[in-house]
Amino acid sequence: MRGPAPHESPCPEAAATGRRGRAPDVGRSAGRGRPGAAAQEEDKDTLLIATNQEVDTFNPFKRRFVITYETSMMTYETLVRIGADYEPEPGLATEWEESEDGLTWTFTIRDGATWSDGEPLTAEDVAYTYGLLIENQAIHDWNIDFAGNLVSAEATDETTFVLTLAEPSPWDVLTREVYIVPEHVWSTYADPSADDANELPLVGSGPFQVTEYQTDEFIRLEANESYWEGAPGFDEVVYDYYTETDAAVAALEAGEVDIVGNGMGGLNPAQTEALQSQDHVTVNDVEGRRYVSLTLNYNSVTQDGTEFGDGHPALKDPVVRQALHMALDKQALVDTVLDGSGTPAVSIIPAIFEQYHWDGGDQLVGFDIEGANALLDEAGYALGDDGVRTMPGTGERLSFRFYQHADNTAYATIAQFATEWWAQIGIEVVPEAIEQSALNDLAYLGEFDIAFSGWGVGPNPTEQLGMHTCAVLPTLTDGSERSSENNYCNPEFDALHEQQKVESDPDARAELVKEQQAIMYADTPVIYLYYQNVMEAYNHDRITGMTTQPSDGGMVTGQQGFTWSYYTAQPAGTTEDSGVPVWVWIAVGAAVVAVVAGGAWFAMRRKSTADERE
């Protein structure tokens, strides 16, 4: 998911304060009124989360932005959930069984689960959802790395769902987040793949439901009182819009917002230091699952070989891409930009997922200005009188457009450093700050040279790796197809990708995944800068009981697979006689189940049930 989207302020007052708008009728319990807010509903407990990210779509089949992902996780359920410690656990499916050949999976759907509108949730809904992945061409293409392996989806009765695959792919079946949608609602849409297909209020089976959205002002999600695992502790979750993180931090200090973190792109070291002095604020600085990278426009091409865009031709040369990589001091960026709250990045999979993380080994490129100059000299890129190199043969100057997200001060600082380092190797870059939606449009049109990107990675690396395969190259040149991160295509990488998807041995699979990362590192279609810690803060006078991910010292915002933190959160003071919120005990129980199941879940996958997990 690309980094948080910046916005223009809708009014002069918002521009002055960094505040976008006020969510009307935002509820607070009695005595907890929000200063300066519009009319309150004192009988509601509202969890207020700061965000600056525009909603690109509420269609869960096309999610890309962080805000879309989080609202999808809260509104819909998957068959199998990702637990607080990243292990698969029962969701809408209470048990599942894999056939001996790995091609047929049979799921038992939770009896008694309902949609938020009161209609029963059955295996027919599950079959309909997976059927869209198979039969709806646009949805199929958007999710091709997973959907391309699906043969059939059938409900044999109200509680039994049978999924048939073309090739065994156990990891994807149990960890791919396919959000189940209600057939009785979605079958009425003329085009289920459209961005506007999903009308508010959304109907789902998750703990909260999106009910209201005002662009650049707020997103409201109301608690699903009939949620199968029990109603959440808060009556509603409201994402409140701020143009600047500093303004969101000030709102947290003033008690006007409850959580500031991933929804604003994370805090910077100065902001976390300021918040640590606030008695009512807890600051969290922990290892994250997100990388920040630079995408290089070297291969804007469709599946049939049609070139598009206007990328600089020098970027097609791996020597130029490698020289750019060598001339970046990643440790200096971590020390300066993050104040040490992160680690230099090597590949697409962050170190938090140790099993699959590739550390670079002998291929690791260090900061080496002299070495980068030598590479370019040897390749014939002559240095001009103006200090900028030219391409051999054409004489075209190595001057690249360098696009960054307009609202990200960290990216602006990185651009300054990179500009100076690259100037030392005879490469000129022209940084330009662009609003994120516009930047994404340009990226998918191939109309850029270098651009910032950043994604959150899950415990199953297939989805992220799949965004760099030949299979997801666009078929059109209009930028509308966005399954590929940067049009990377390497048949050797693809062959390993297909192998790792079907490899049942965890250690053998991990080696294949590491080989994939090594190939990408050598090709350098992307330069991974750093793995950023999650830097977040929340008002502990307002909230208690939030389950982190991982459960031991993990993150509150930016969770994967299920929003454990927002579901288990309780308004402070609503505790049982023991002094501990009831949801804390539920969360602890879930974490214990996940830990117990963790080491053996794959070996048990042929017959995994909720009872066996306890």
Side-chain angles (χ1 to χ4, degrees):
M1 288 161 284
R2 293 184 187 271
H7 301 267
E8 294 298 324
S9 294
C11 62
E13 179 183 3
T17 63
R19 183 70 180 83
R20 294 189 190 280
R22 292 293 185 189
D25 300 324
V26 171
R28 288 293 203 195
S29 59
R32 299 181 186 275
R34 177 178 166 205
Q40 308 284 323
E41 292 184 22
E42 293 189 348
D43 59 341
K44 279 191 176 181
D45 282 306
T46 301
L47 181 62
L48 281 165
I49 305 168
T51 189
N52 65 358
Q53 197 167 56
E54 178 183 334
V55 172
D56 53 336
T57 177
F58 282 120
N59 190 320
F61 296 104
K62 300 175 68 175
R63 55 185 166 77
R64 279 294 182 267
F65 285 5
V66 172
I67 194 69
T68 308
Y69 180 65
E70 287 198 356
T71 53
S72 292
M73 278 196 296
M74 285 191 274
T75 300
Y76 303 100
E77 283 271 30
T78 54
L79 288 177
V80 182
R81 290 196 307 205
I82 295 175
D85 289 293
Y86 297 116
E87 298 296 343
E89 65 175 48
L92 288 178
T94 57
E95 61 182 50
W96 49 87
E97 187 171 357
E98 180 188 16
S99 63
E100 287 298 325
D101 62 6
L103 299 180
T104 303
W105 288 74
T106 303
F107 295 85
T108 299
I109 306 305
R110 190 175 298 280
D111 190 29
T114 63
W115 295 105
S116 55
D117 63 1
E119 291 293 318
L121 189 157
T122 72
E124 293 287 351
D125 295 299
V126 182
Y128 172 79
T129 301
Y130 278 82
L132 288 175
L133 289 168
I134 298 170
E135 298 165 7
N136 183 291
Q137 193 61 52
I139 292 175
H140 177 87
D141 291 346
W142 193 268
N143 300 274
I144 186 64
D145 191 49
F146 176 65
N149 191 38
L150 304 182
V151 173
S152 66
E154 180 185 6
T156 57
D157 58 47
E158 287 195 350
T159 59
T160 307
F161 168 64
V162 180
L163 182 67
T164 305
L165 312 177
E167 297 288 342
S169 186
W171 308 91
D172 261 6
V173 171
L174 293 182
T175 62
R176 186 62 67 114
E177 292 161 285
V178 176
Y179 296 115
I180 307 304
V181 299
E183 181 180 12
H184 69 280
V185 174
W186 280 70
S187 61
T188 66
Y189 297 148
D191 180 9
S193 71
D195 286 334
D196 60 356
N198 214 358
E199 300 174 356
L200 302 185
L202 302 187
V203 177
S205 61
F208 293 95
Q209 308 294 300
V210 179
T211 58
E212 193 176 3
Y213 171 50
Q214 295 290 333
T215 304
D216 289 348
E217 293 187 6
F218 69 94
I219 309 169
R220 188 192 308 278
L221 297 94
E222 295 182 3
N224 180 2
E225 298 298 331
S226 61
Y227 183 54
W228 62 266
E229 202 171 17
F234 277 88
D235 298 315
E236 61 181 12
V237 170
V238 172
Y239 287 90
D240 220 352
Y241 277 84
Y242 292 82
T243 56
E244 300 169 358
T245 307
D246 281 344
V249 167
L252 178 60
E253 291 176 332
E256 297 180 1
V257 72
D258 300 324
I259 300 176
V260 180
N262 198 55
M264 295 295 300
L267 302 172
N268 63 38
Q271 290 161 346
T272 58
E273 183 177 357
L275 286 171
Q276 283 170 344
S277 65
Q278 301 291 312
D279 291 340
H280 67 289
V281 173
T282 293
V283 174
N284 205 25
D285 183 351
V286 295
E287 186 177 21
R289 58 180 186 85
R290 182 177 179 83
Y291 65 78
V292 169
S293 63
L294 298 178
T295 295
L296 309 180
N297 185 8
Y298 83 106
N299 187 44
S300 292
V301 62
T302 63
Q303 290 195 18
D304 66 3
T306 302
E307 294 187 357
F308 63 95
D310 60 2
H312 196 293
L315 291 172
K316 295 181 181 294
D317 187 347
V319 170
V320 173
R321 302 196 300 270
Q322 290 160 8
L324 288 167
H325 193 182
M326 291 178 70
L328 290 171
D329 189 343
K330 298 178 184 179
Q331 187 62 58
L333 296 179
V334 170
D335 293 341
T336 306
V337 178
L338 301 181
D339 197 25
S341 292
T343 55
V346 176
S347 66
I348 196 169
I349 302 174
I352 193 172
F353 301 117
E354 184 178 2
Q355 181 180 14
Y356 298 115
H357 173 66
W358 178 72
D359 63 9
D362 295 338
Q363 290 182 237
L364 192 64
V365 172
F367 178 54
D368 186 354
I369 295 291
E370 184 177 345
N373 273 309
L375 277 179
L376 294 170
D377 288 341
E378 187 176 346
Y381 290 89
L383 197 64
D385 293 339
D386 60 356
V388 178
R389 294 180 183 271
T390 58
M391 291 184 66
T394 68
E396 185 170 355
R397 297 171 74 248
L398 266 60
S399 180
F400 303 141
R401 296 162 295 177
F402 188 10
Y403 294 158
Q404 67 195 60
H405 300 155
D407 69 338
N408 195 309
T409 57
Y411 289 1
T413 303
I414 293 170
Q416 291 176 355
F417 277 106
T419 299
E420 295 174 7
W421 290 327
W422 287 337
Q424 295 177 48
I425 63 171
I427 293 178
E428 176 184 76
V429 293
V430 182
E432 183 178 350
I434 299 179
E435 189 272 330
Q436 188 195 347
S437 292
L439 191 159
N440 283 349
D441 290 342
L442 291 171
Y444 287 112
L445 286 166
E447 297 176 0
F448 75 104
D449 295 318
I450 304 172
F452 277 92
S453 187
W455 289 78
V457 180
N460 178 6
T462 294
E463 186 170 7
Q464 276 288 322
L465 294 170
M467 293 167 61
H468 296 81
T469 59
C470 303
V472 298
L473 288 177
T475 61
L476 304 173
T477 61
D478 62 2
S480 61
E481 297 170 288
R482 302 188 172 190
S483 294
S484 178
E485 160 69 342
N486 65 333
N487 296 328
Y488 179 67
C489 177
N490 182 319
E492 185 182 358
F493 177 93
D494 283 16
L496 290 167
H497 190 63
E498 294 307 310
Q499 284 181 257
Q500 66 87 9
K501 286 199 295 185
V502 302
E503 176 56 64
S504 61
D505 179 79
D507 293 334
R509 183 186 186 226
E511 288 306 310
L512 293 170
V513 168
K514 289 176 182 177
E515 287 183 51
Q516 286 185 268
Q517 294 169 80
I519 289 172
M520 275 191 69
Y521 189 82
D523 287 346
T524 325
V526 177
I527 298 174
Y528 298 97
L529 297 178
Y530 52 68
Y531 307 122
Q532 186 171 359
N533 279 14
V534 173
M535 290 188 282
E536 57 193 4
Y538 63 92
N539 184 344
H540 57 241
D541 284 351
R542 278 277 306 143
I543 317 166
T544 188
M546 286 192 292
T547 297
T548 61
Q549 189 184 51
S551 57
D552 183 12
M555 64 193 78
V556 169
T557 63
Q559 296 189 354
Q560 171 81 12
F562 187 77
T563 50
W564 295 101
S565 53
Y566 305 155
Y567 174 53
T568 60
Q570 288 281 304
T574 57
T575 59
E576 299 296 315
D577 292 340
S578 63
V580 180
V582 65
W583 286 107
V584 171
W585 295 117
I586 293 175
V588 169
V592 170
V593 170
V595 170
V596 171
W601 77 268
F602 192 79
M604 293 162 53
R605 73 179 191 274
R606 296 188 184 277
K607 191 175 187 303
S608 180
T609 69
D611 289 340
E612 288 172 347
R613 291 176 182 274
E614 294 177 354

